[in-house]
Amino acid sequence: MRAGDYVIVIDGVWDSAMPDNRPDGLVLEVFGPETKFGLKAPDQATVLFSNGAMLKFHISQLEVISESR
């Protein structure tokens, strides 16, 4: 998963800021926590939805519909 991918939030995961009946959006950023060695393990993504909401999800809660080139 990377920035620019088109994703859908999997069933059972919901946030009140997401638009009704539109659990799909564009990945703006993929990131992860810093490790003691300064490396990042990308396990989270910020998703932009059609209503302008930008929400953070764990990548296991997202399914890639279309990959960016």
Side-chain angles (χ1 to χ4, degrees):
M1 184 176 301
R2 61 184 178 195
D5 285 356
Y6 183 59
V7 297
I8 190 166
V9 179
I10 63 171
D11 288 337
V13 177
W14 188 256
D15 187 290
S16 61
M18 289 171 53
D20 292 335
N21 301 317
R22 290 292 311 264
D24 57 316
L26 185 68
V27 175
L28 298 178
E29 171 185 37
V30 178
F31 58 96
E34 292 287 335
T35 67
K36 65 180 178 179
F37 302 109
L39 302 173
K40 291 187 176 182
D43 65 348
Q44 300 171 51
T46 303
V47 179
L48 174 65
F49 292 91
S50 62
N51 65 352
M54 292 183 286
L55 303 172
K56 182 176 82 170
F57 293 92
H58 190 271
I59 59 172
S60 67
Q61 298 172 314
L62 302 170
E63 179 182 339
V64 176
I65 302 297
S66 179
E67 294 181 346
S68 65
R69 292 184 182 222

